[in-house]
Amino acid sequence: MNSKRNTLKAIAACALAATALGTAGIAGAQTKLKWAHVYETSEPFHKYSVWAAEEIKKRTNGKYDIQVFPASSLGKESDINQGLTLGTVDIVLTGASFAGNTYKPLAVTYFPLIFRDSEHLLKYAKSDVFKELAKGYDDKSGNHITALNYYGARHVTSSAARPVAKPEDMKGLKIRVPDAPAYLAFPKALGANATPIAFAEVYLALQNNTVDAQENPLPTIEAKKFFEVQKNISLTGHIIDSLLTVVSGQLWGKLSADEKKVFTDVMQEAAEKTGRDIIASEIRLTEEFKKRGNNVITVDKAAFREAVLKNTKPTDHGYRQQDYDRIVSIK
């Protein structure tokens, strides 16, 4: 009897051990990842980053558990880009301008008025020239671009005393730009004083009149509440901006071919959803800002383009003329 009881105990112990090992195996198989960006939780960039994280988890049967860190919670944009190399973040949503710090030709899209409109940029995202530029970044950085997201047409907002209606109004204007060289061509060509300030500090800088103006897409102007401290919104559309979804080289190198396809497919789907949301909100916000009492100014974009090209050209900023020409010619 004792022998039988001992045998049963042994079987039970083995079963428990097997269960424990099985649980440990499952826990060990799950990989936790960090996805960082600098945007608010109310914005489509965050909404669809979270969607993508959940979708990747689902499509990989729970293997990848991705936590999204919004609103500069893991550092400002330059920090999270550096984090890709340091291994402190695995995925970032970042301006092509910041990626352009690593591979200059990629930032050619920031040359003023290179894009006609949002649809032109979305066609560029599927073009051979974008694929070639993205590969150049991949090769130089060791990281991997999976998708291009439409960020919005950047417009100038300014204080009540400094409305911008024509190119001459930019002369001497102290304007905040992101801390990346790609944003300097527009203000410099028109005689403005460009002042790089971290994104999280812009509202206070405008409120305290540290700068007269800033430039961002309408959804960002709303989300960051810049309209509260800037009376004028000038629809310059001088840059049709984009964000890149970038996976660290360390992570990308560990993914199987099937997993790489899942990450790419999901991130491109998220980019498409983000872009459509932003385009719809841009149309809506133009009227909403008018109702809120902001002075929304429609400008002659051709006059701005002519003034910019009179004073600068792509090669002055380290961009390749052939890339500029190929992008301009996309139909």
Side-chain angles (χ1 to χ4, degrees):
M1 191 71 175
N2 284 341
S3 174
K4 188 176 180 183
R5 189 178 292 117
N6 289 339
T7 302
L8 288 171
K9 281 182 179 178
I11 291 169
C14 288
L16 283 169
T19 302
L21 284 169
T23 305
I26 290 166
Q30 188 178 71
T31 302
K32 292 187 178 297
L33 303 174
K34 293 180 179 179
W35 180 326
H37 65 75
V38 300
Y39 302 99
E40 300 300 316
T41 54
S42 61
E43 295 183 80
F45 314 114
H46 181 68
K47 174 183 174 182
Y48 291 112
S49 294
V50 171
W51 174 86
E54 291 170 350
E55 198 66 18
I56 288 169
K57 186 175 184 178
K58 190 190 306 177
R59 296 191 198 181
T60 60
N61 297 316
K63 182 174 178 181
Y64 294 98
D65 183 20
I66 304 172
Q67 184 176 354
V68 180
F69 294 84
S72 306
S73 53
L74 290 186
K76 58 183 186 286
E77 199 146 5
S78 55
D79 297 330
I80 63 173
N81 274 271
Q82 191 177 20
L84 287 171
T85 303
L86 296 175
T88 53
V89 296
D90 304 290
I91 303 159
V92 301
L93 200 58
T94 184
S97 55
F98 285 85
N101 288 339
T102 300
Y103 181 65
K104 184 77 172 184
L106 188 63
V108 67
T109 56
Y110 288 80
F111 190 80
L113 300 154
I114 186 172
F115 291 111
R116 297 180 297 276
D117 51 28
S118 57
E119 293 304 321
H120 186 184
L121 181 130
L122 293 173
K123 287 177 182 175
Y124 161 72
K126 295 180 169 64
S127 71
D128 288 341
V129 64
F130 171 64
K131 288 172 188 167
E132 290 165 21
L133 290 169
K135 185 179 185 305
Y137 167 84
D138 289 7
D139 292 345
K140 184 80 181 286
S141 69
N143 302 316
H144 179 67
I145 295 171
T146 55
L148 182 144
N149 307 252
Y150 175 68
Y151 180 69
R154 298 182 79 93
H155 304 296
V156 172
T157 72
S158 58
S159 61
R162 296 296 306 263
V164 174
K166 52 190 185 300
E168 295 78 15
D169 296 333
M170 291 286 293
K171 194 171 178 62
L173 188 74
K174 195 169 185 183
I175 183 169
R176 179 270 172 181
V177 295
D179 191 12
Y183 291 96
L184 298 177
F186 179 71
K188 280 192 170 181
L190 299 178
N193 296 322
T195 307
I197 295 173
F199 197 44
E201 299 163 16
V202 178
Y203 185 95
L204 196 59
L206 297 172
Q207 190 176 46
N208 294 341
N209 297 313
T210 304
V211 289
D212 306 307
Q214 69 86 44
E215 47 82 63
N216 257 300
L218 298 182
T220 305
I221 292 166
E222 180 188 44
K224 301 298 281 187
K225 301 192 184 303
F226 296 151
F227 67 89
E228 294 179 346
V229 287
Q230 297 271 270
K231 175 69 174 175
N232 301 298
I233 300 173
S234 303
L235 302 178
T236 51
H238 53 279
I239 293 173
I240 307 293
D241 208 346
S242 58
L243 298 181
L244 299 170
T245 312
V246 187
V247 177
S248 76
Q250 294 175 49
L251 171 59
W252 192 251
K254 293 174 184 173
L255 299 179
S256 68
D258 286 345
E259 288 168 346
K260 285 177 179 176
K261 186 176 188 310
V262 167
F263 274 64
T264 302
D265 289 350
V266 169
M267 289 169 173
Q268 289 183 357
E269 286 173 40
E272 179 71 19
K273 291 173 186 291
T274 299
R276 294 301 165 193
D277 262 25
I278 295 293
I279 291 166
S281 65
E282 285 180 315
I283 296 166
R284 171 180 57 82
L285 285 169
T286 301
E287 295 308 313
E288 282 194 17
F289 285 130
K290 289 178 184 176
K291 289 175 185 174
R292 286 172 178 164
N294 291 94
N295 180 28
V296 178
I297 304 167
T298 300
V299 306
D300 180 357
K301 288 186 186 178
F304 275 85
R305 183 182 292 106
E306 185 180 338
V308 166
L309 290 172
K310 183 180 176 184
N311 295 316
T312 191
K313 55 186 184 292
T315 52
D316 292 339
H317 301 274
Y319 308 137
R320 299 182 303 212
Q321 188 67 41
Q322 66 266 32
D323 295 333
Y324 174 86
D325 292 340
R326 287 174 70 192
I327 292 169
V328 168
S329 67
I330 292 172
K331 300 299 180 189

